[in-house]
């Protein structure tokens, strides 16, 4: 999922700390801790034990993910060796009784799904912040260039004139929408707790109390039910992130087009060079934003194609989600980060815009009004 | 997009009238009519002319789509020959002045995008109705089988027991969510009106009045701005329909699995036969629901990959939306229709469920409570 | 799958007759006829009966596909009602004994898979012919413009000069490769014959004789085994067609870019107009070729995601292939047809190429040699 | 691209060394070395300089990829800082003249594309070896169980009987095909050399000599021309790997189904456990093989959707290939590795097969002959 060589190019550095192996391991351990606390609140575990579990989980959360990865191969998910290690650590600290309180009533999917939602929540926080920055840049461009006339181009042919402000308002509208949608989905990410077969059997009759407490501990939502195999939230995340990628790819594409040598209307503030042509001024942030965003549709398709999980736990579809979800978060976060770089210090060549427009009419209709409307909506 | 041979198998018959060539032609003509009426409300066209345009558009809307299709090849979209034909018809009816009022201030994308939203609105109406039927069936099964014990199966291996009601509640939760999401997206479908370069230049200073009136005429939403190349709504439609396909595929998959010969826990009311084995009782509605739903991720990926439209009109990405959007509507609508058939009269073999569970414990934990919670939420 | 309104725009008219409902119905009936003949050659059916089956199948093959479609809903595939109808027709012609010889030893998947290969074979014939035409156009452009200097553009920025011939050679190389690959895959399309469970049980011990004769009758290949659930050939078709779409999209994209107003280096012979701007000269064939080709990756993903068919017959994945395969054939055939239109009469503006290049060096290195090498390889 | 936490679960460990950051950095440096040697063979660089370049490249190839990654952000690809570093190292070793010989006549895409082909060649070597192992396991199962009768299941319903050998032969046929296809594509991977605009201008008139020598140095193929923007080979890699994923997913799916509690016909040699149910025997290698293979269609769609590179260098599509290609190699290699684990020591429960079949007929037709044919073809 991570590549020290390629991630910086595609902006994934921005979202790295929220999605890498350490983030996952940390999240898994946080969930075990939160579960112990939730059980305490429901009267199932005494507070001292929960504190010991939390301390042991903290230690484990700071250990080497590679070790856990190796142990996870045999069982097919990292929670099984994690629980083994956590129980051993707690046993060593306070004895066998306390060890039995680890992972109480849970199945590995409960821990992994909840950790995934924690990872998503944090990663989406980064994505939203980056999207918001991009949206603000677009708004600033729209405001500054409300009346900057340029050629309108439909099917890449000159049509009637428009303004650069109106184009930036189009970018901004898409980015604002993405901010709103990602924020809304982020706000509904649920914890998972169902136990071995999704009936909360091992916690009966305290299951719902523990569930509610778990959500409270982790600042996630209490779900409608057990969603071991009702993956609507994952499909929704996929759709929202796929749409965010579109919102990012649109301005990136326009920058690349308007920066073409013959057009020369836009220029990145820190364009890229070339290994063979020192004179090149490549809009490389826009180019790599496009490339990063272009990864999204494939991940979305993978998540949707693996959305129907069999009976009480998917035999493949569930496992297929983990890396696809991370890949999607990273490429959208990365694309957004690259777009932010692109828009920061974007240079607008007013002369080129005027020159390319030629002696055509400069009746831009409602272009200015469209910018005003857009800016009004943002207030 | 349509196939008289294959559509019935995949349930697309249900959504046919809302999405076929006639539906599109009709919608295109309705939009031209609505535009003329909207211009009348803004004082740009006299009422008599608008009525004549409407009458001519009605005629055209009932003509052969194939003729328009042939004419559309040269210009790359059906609106251009449609406007030519409509102008000719109005000229013949009432003269050249009236003909000039046809398509006033619009560009072909305005008409096509708005017609697409009309088509989507009607098709989503069908999809929601079918989804709701499926959801109601799931709820009825959950209620009826609140306490019907069966084996819980994780990774397709026996885990702890659960109830069929709890499983049906999982189905229903996903379907209810799909109903809510599709309904919400349906409610925000906007009209499009921007003119040649998205500035509403030809309608200035009446552009926003016409825009508002157009939305009102067609019972669609007034958009934030001109979305010629801000395709967030299309990406959102893609995501929501992709998620709905997941909600449908989940119960279909479970029915296929629980109907396996060795399990025999479910049976469709009207199973399919075989050309070589008369004894077969294939859960064919579930099977074809899965097959139809399986088309969705590819269409979603296509729509997302074509989401970044160049500058003021996409030079390929826009055109790429039309058939992909229809394909997506049809496969989701079709899958839902097939699932409805599957769930209608679904037979539950209580003995088989009990027998397969074996002498294992029948502690189903909170299974009944989960059903109650689910049913409560539906009220 | 077909749309009289949209197909002409996306070139699908070219491939219509090879892939529409009538083509499928005809192919299904041809396979039943060929099976009867093959059984005759293996001594299982007398010649007179085979001839009667063939005559009845011919009649049925010319009937209304919609009727069969309606009947197919209940069983989930069109072969089951087809066999019923064919048996009834043969019974009426020559009696019950002959009717029993219909569909001898086959299962519906045998007929449908073989018919699909027939449809593919014919459709690929169209695709190859179109691709070859495009490749020839590219070669003619490479030859004519071997020394036509133009700006080389990397990342859409001026780099060093090249020649239009060298660019056309790049187009041609991709198209030639697509011709070669599609032709090679077309040559290995197999018949299917396995009977109810893929063991050729009902034809034992004559199974392999009938299989060989069936392949011979239909001019398809004898397969390695029974491929009811070994869908390598479908995956291979998907990959080859997906790659062909890339080969088509590349020149279409370049034409759209080089036809931009500011560049003006290429112009389609019959450009498209606009409903609002009579002066527009849109490279509409290239634009719609791009849009058609852009459908391909989604279909490829659908076919690959449904490639693992369960045990002896896929419970959904098999059914999911039919429309996706047709959709893929149609979009690739359509894109290629549109590209042919684009390249036919493509106008090259030598002055614009020279002007855009500017006073830069005109050292084009091996550009001419690259053209010569490419043309040599084609001989 | 890599995850120490998740890779072992999905088998990517097997292909790690061939595809990770170090493999890429090493390959990039090998290409610079090979280019220097090729230039020596063409008489453009003296041997001593080439040896110094090689020595410096070796050092650089063993350095920290993260450092290069950070430097690559500004230019959008790792070759630009690599060349800077390599020139500095050579300058320090032997002076400015020698430094000028570094990267002679090349552009960064030449180095990156060639390195990508090297990485692919080595990774495909791993994939082929794993696939071949899987195929051999399938063949051994087919041989051993030529006459092991079991229920044939179509649409997951009992049909007629077959043998487990016949099913294993189906698995093996698909795997053998994948071996053949991947091997064939591996054998045609080309080097890239075109210089700044794809005309080999800086090497004129020695361009083709250097090209041929470069291919020879790296044991890759001399390409038909410059394929900077003719990405047929990437599309072909995508298709072939996508098809290989299907060949792997098929047996994995069947194992999961036949291992279901009620069927119990197959059992993995080292099944996975559960965090909550110690009695579970999950076919975890098959499950994770499915999950890994399920990533492939999305990557294939991404590569195909980014196949049309603009003019002389793709402004996004090129960059989009790198991580998608690695992702695809890794998921296919990983899935294959997991399948190998699954098939190694797979336990066949003859009693369960016989019991599930029931008192039905045991006429398995040509099942044995199909196995014999399959085994004959392998010789």
């Amino acid at each position: 999922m991570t590549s020290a060589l390629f991630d910086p190019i595609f902006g994934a550095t921005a979202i790295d700390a929220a999605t890498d192996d350490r983030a996952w391991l940390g999240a898994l351990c946080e969930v075990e801790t939160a579960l112990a606390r939730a059980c305490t609140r429901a009267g199932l575990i005494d507070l001292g034990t929960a504190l010991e579990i939390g301390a042991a989980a903290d230690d484990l959360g700071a250990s080497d993910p590679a070790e856990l990865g190796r142990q996870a191969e045999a069982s097919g998910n990292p929670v099984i060796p994690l629980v083994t290690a956590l129980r051993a650590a707690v046993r060593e600290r306070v004895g066998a009784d306390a060890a039995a309180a680890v992972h109480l009533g849970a199945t590995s999917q409960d821990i992994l799904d909840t950790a995934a939602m924690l990872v998503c929540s944090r990663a989406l926080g980064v994505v939203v912040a980056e999207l918001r920055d991009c949206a603000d840049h677009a708004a600033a461009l729209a405001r500054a260039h409300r009346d900057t006339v340029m050629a309108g181009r439909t099917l890449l042919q000159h049509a009637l004139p428009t303004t650069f402000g109106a184009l930036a308002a189009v970018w901004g509208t898409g980015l604002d929408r993405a901010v709103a949608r990602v924020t809304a989905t982020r706000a509904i990410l649920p914890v998972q707790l169902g136990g071995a077969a999704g009936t909360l059997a091992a916690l009966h009759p305290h299951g719902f109390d523990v569930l509610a407490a778990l959500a409270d501990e982790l600042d996630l939502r209490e779900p409608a039910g057990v969603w071991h195999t009702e993956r609507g939230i994952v499909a929704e995340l996929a759709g929202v992130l796929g749409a965010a990628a579109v919102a990012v790819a649109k301005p990136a594409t326009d920058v690349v087009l308007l920066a073409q040598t013959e057009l020369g209307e836009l220029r990145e503030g820190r364009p890229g060079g070339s290994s063979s042509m020192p004179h090149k001024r490549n809009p490389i942030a826009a180019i790599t934003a496009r490339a990063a965003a272009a990864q999204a549709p494939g991940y979305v398709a993978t998540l949707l194609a693996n959305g129907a999980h069999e009976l009480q736990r998917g035999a493949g579809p569930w496992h297929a989600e983990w890396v696809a979800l991370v890949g999607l978060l990273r490429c959208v976060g990365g694309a957004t980060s690259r777009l932010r770089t692109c828009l920061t210090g974007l240079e607008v060549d007013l002369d080129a815009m005027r020159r390319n427009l030629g002696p055509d009419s400069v009746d831009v209709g409602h272009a200015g009004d469209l910018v005003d409307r857009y800016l009004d909506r943002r207030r």
Side-chain angles (χ1 to χ4, degrees), chain A:
Chain A
M1 308 185 294
T2 65
S3 161
L5 182 59
F6 289 115
D7 283 350
I9 298 173
F10 300 112
T13 317
I15 204 166
D16 211 41
T19 58
D20 68 4
D21 284 345
R22 295 199 169 280
W24 274 89
L25 176 54
L28 291 167
C29 291
E30 279 180 75
V31 179
E32 292 286 0
T33 297
L35 176 63
R37 287 173 183 275
C39 286
T40 300
R41 288 165 63 173
L44 302 176
I45 301 183
D46 65 83
L47 179 60
T49 299
L51 290 172
E52 292 290 344
I53 290 174
D58 283 355
D59 284 355
L60 209 53
S63 67
D64 182 8
E67 177 60 23
L68 191 67
R70 276 187 292 275
Q71 295 167 351
E73 186 186 338
S75 51
N77 82 57
V79 178
I80 296 176
L82 180 80
V83 170
T84 302
L86 188 57
R87 283 193 178 131
V90 172
R91 188 177 305 116
E92 194 165 320
R93 282 169 174 269
V94 273
D97 282 4
V102 167
H103 193 63
L104 192 69
T107 191
S108 51
Q109 184 168 9
D110 295 328
I111 307 304
L112 208 143
D113 281 353
T114 305
M117 293 300 105
L118 266 189
V119 166
C120 283
S121 178
R122 289 158 187 176
L124 292 184
V126 177
V127 170
V128 166
E130 297 268 2
L131 282 170
R132 195 170 278 136
D133 268 5
C134 289
D136 289 344
H137 277 296
L141 288 166
R143 193 177 299 111
H145 295 280
R146 183 190 184 279
D147 302 311
T148 302
V149 178
M150 72 185 297
R153 295 171 178 95
T154 58
L155 311 181
L156 294 181
Q157 299 286 310
H158 274 211
L160 299 185
T162 185
T163 66
F164 180 55
L167 179 57
V170 167
W171 298 351
T173 302
L175 291 162
D176 284 343
R177 177 199 287 266
V179 168
R181 294 298 187 266
V182 176
T183 301
T185 298
R186 188 178 178 227
I188 62 169
L189 299 179
V191 293
Q192 177 73 282
L193 191 64
T199 61
L200 289 157
L203 293 169
H204 196 257
H206 306 287
F208 292 133
D209 294 340
V210 177
L211 177 62
L214 181 66
D216 186 61
E217 288 286 335
L218 292 167
D219 201 17
L220 292 170
R221 284 276 293 269
E222 191 182 335
V226 173
W227 50 282
H228 284 164
T229 57
E230 194 284 280
R231 310 307 281 182
I233 188 65
V234 178
E236 203 161 315
L237 275 165
V240 165
L241 285 165
V246 166
V248 170
K250 159 66 177 163
T253 297
D254 287 351
V255 169
V256 170
L257 290 169
L258 294 172
Q260 288 176 97
T261 305
E262 279 82 3
L263 280 72
E265 302 186 0
L266 294 180
R267 198 176 311 111
E268 291 194 354
R270 291 169 49 205
S274 154
S275 72
S276 55
M277 293 167 291
H279 67 280
K280 289 290 290 283
R281 294 287 174 270
N282 298 317
I284 201 65
I287 287 168
T288 49
R290 291 182 86 197
Q295 312 294 318
Y299 287 123
V300 173
T302 299
L303 288 167
L304 294 176
N306 288 280
H309 291 206
E310 297 97 342
L311 300 170
Q312 278 73 36
R313 180 151 317 133
W318 176 46
H319 307 71
E321 287 176 357
W322 312 335
V323 287
L325 196 50
V326 172
L328 181 55
L329 288 167
R330 290 176 70 86
C331 74
V332 174
T336 312
S337 169
R338 294 306 283 153
L339 180 65
R340 184 171 48 72
T341 298
C342 164
L343 296 181
T344 304
L346 188 70
E347 298 172 14
V348 183
D349 189 325
L350 305 180
D351 291 341
M353 285 185 175
R354 203 62 191 76
R355 186 171 59 242
N356 289 336
L357 181 58
D360 290 356
S361 133
V362 291
D363 170 11
V364 296
H366 283 284
D369 302 330
L370 285 162
V371 173
D372 295 342
R373 279 196 162 200
Y374 154 69
L375 293 172
D376 282 351
R377 271 197 321 277
R378 296 201 94 222
R379 276 195 202 108

